[in-house]
Amino acid sequence: MEAGGLEWLLVPMHQLVSWGAAGAMVFGGVVPYIPQYRDIRRTQNAEGFSTYVCLVLLVANILRILFWFGRRFESPLLWQSIIMIITMLLMLKLCTEVRVSNELNIKRRSFAAADSKDEEIKAPPKRSYLDFDLNYFWHWSKFTDYVQCVLTFTCVTGYVTYLWLDSSLFVETLGFLAVFTEAMLGVPQLYRNYQNRSTEGMSVKMVLMWTSGDTFKTVYFILNQAPFQFSICGLLQVFVDIAILLQVYLYSYYPQKPVSHTAHPASTKAL
């Protein structure tokens, strides 16, 4: 009788814990960006945040969704990707608006057709249609250009996935690329901090939430026996987060002389 009563209590508790863990997986990934979003909105300065973080997460989560069609992993991980894509687009929209409003006399750059009135007179003809200069990639002047780029990437990768969906090697490789790309999430921020010799403008709360979230996520992967790619790359992601936290400590207690950027007005915004 005691065992039956205990089981009656443990089953709903286990269900609640499972729901809580699933909810944390779906929405926990976007929480670290809330303080960063608020800081950028309040200060109207997006210099401390690398928009390449958004690029990494958009690519990773698009690939993860495509991986789901080949290997149906847990639905919370799928919904996490959808929520993250929406969040990264909102971050990009804010950063683009803030950056453009702070730029004066800077040539407007676009992903697709460039606006002729913004083109410099000395620009070569080939730049009148597509603007794929790597120095300005992912540093466009309108949010719609980022959306066009994301849609183009989604259509191309989606078509390739449709053609090779029956290949288990392709599907597993796609899954690895998805989680490995996400594992590289902190690398753009790590490099930006190194380049600036400072972590000023970067939300430390965001990185702390990254670390705690990635740790929780990796444990979740292991306990729920997610595809092995998830667990391996989750551990790698935690190591990158720790490296960024070490930068916070080093640059706070041992300030270094910032690197000067004089080559081009936009060179300090390469990331």
Side-chain angles (χ1 to χ4, degrees):
M1 189 73 176
E2 258 182 52
L6 188 61
E7 184 179 350
W8 176 83
L9 180 63
L10 289 177
V11 169
M13 286 184 62
H14 181 268
Q15 190 66 40
L16 285 175
V17 171
S18 298
W19 287 346
M25 282 300 302
V26 173
F27 297 102
V30 305
V31 172
Y33 300 96
I34 295 176
Q36 183 70 72
Y37 185 94
R38 294 178 63 184
D39 286 346
I40 294 173
R41 194 177 183 88
R42 175 176 55 83
T43 62
Q44 288 298 295
N45 185 350
E47 287 300 301
F49 177 73
S50 173
T51 54
Y52 276 89
V53 168
C54 300
L55 174 61
V56 170
L57 279 175
L58 285 169
V59 170
N61 285 282
I62 290 170
L63 293 179
R64 184 194 285 186
I65 290 174
L66 295 176
F67 178 50
W68 182 84
F69 287 99
R71 185 170 178 182
R72 301 299 176 91
F73 48 81
E74 288 193 330
S75 56
L77 299 179
L78 177 65
W79 280 106
Q80 180 198 42
S81 293
I82 296 172
I83 297 297
M84 184 60 74
I85 288 173
I86 295 172
T87 302
M88 289 303 101
L89 291 175
L90 290 175
M91 286 291 295
L92 273 175
K93 187 174 187 297
L94 175 64
C95 290
T96 304
E97 291 173 351
V98 169
R99 187 182 69 246
V100 171
S101 66
N102 292 335
E103 289 180 343
L104 296 175
N105 300 322
I106 297 295
K107 176 183 172 182
R108 295 295 184 249
R109 301 283 174 170
S110 61
F111 167 70
D115 191 345
S116 60
K117 69 181 180 180
D118 289 326
E119 285 292 320
E120 295 176 343
I121 297 176
K122 297 181 180 179
K126 65 179 181 179
R127 299 189 61 78
S128 60
Y129 297 102
L130 296 178
D131 190 6
F132 285 118
D133 186 344
L134 289 179
N135 292 325
Y136 293 94
F137 177 78
W138 208 250
H139 191 72
W140 301 307
S141 306
K142 294 181 180 178
F143 172 66
T144 52
D145 293 309
Y146 293 96
V147 175
Q148 289 175 23
C149 181
V150 170
L151 288 176
T152 301
F153 176 79
T154 303
C155 291
V156 172
T157 53
Y159 180 68
V160 173
T161 301
Y162 174 75
L163 294 177
W164 291 87
L165 198 58
D166 293 332
S167 170
S168 59
L169 177 62
F170 174 82
V171 171
E172 293 301 325
T173 302
L174 183 66
F176 174 78
L177 288 176
V179 292
F180 181 75
T181 303
E182 186 175 0
M184 295 294 101
L185 165 65
V187 173
Q189 192 67 56
L190 187 73
Y191 176 73
R192 186 178 185 85
N193 296 341
Y194 171 78
Q195 189 181 44
N196 295 339
R197 300 294 193 271
S198 170
T199 57
E200 184 179 356
M202 182 196 74
S203 173
V204 179
K205 290 180 181 178
M206 177 186 72
V207 181
L208 287 171
M209 290 180 182
W210 273 357
T211 308
S212 57
D214 292 338
T215 302
F216 168 79
K217 184 170 60 177
T218 303
V219 172
Y220 181 91
F221 291 156
I222 295 172
L223 293 179
N224 287 273
Q225 298 181 342
F228 75 95
Q229 299 101 320
F230 286 75
S231 301
I232 294 173
C233 294
L235 290 171
L236 178 59
Q237 199 166 356
V238 172
F239 290 143
V240 174
D241 295 339
I242 293 173
I244 296 177
L245 289 175
L246 286 175
Q247 283 183 324
V248 174
Y249 172 78
L250 290 174
Y251 294 147
S252 297
Y253 291 93
Y254 304 97
Q256 300 185 34
K257 185 177 180 180
V259 176
S260 60
H261 302 279
T262 57
H264 192 280
S267 63
T268 57
K269 301 178 181 181
L271 291 180

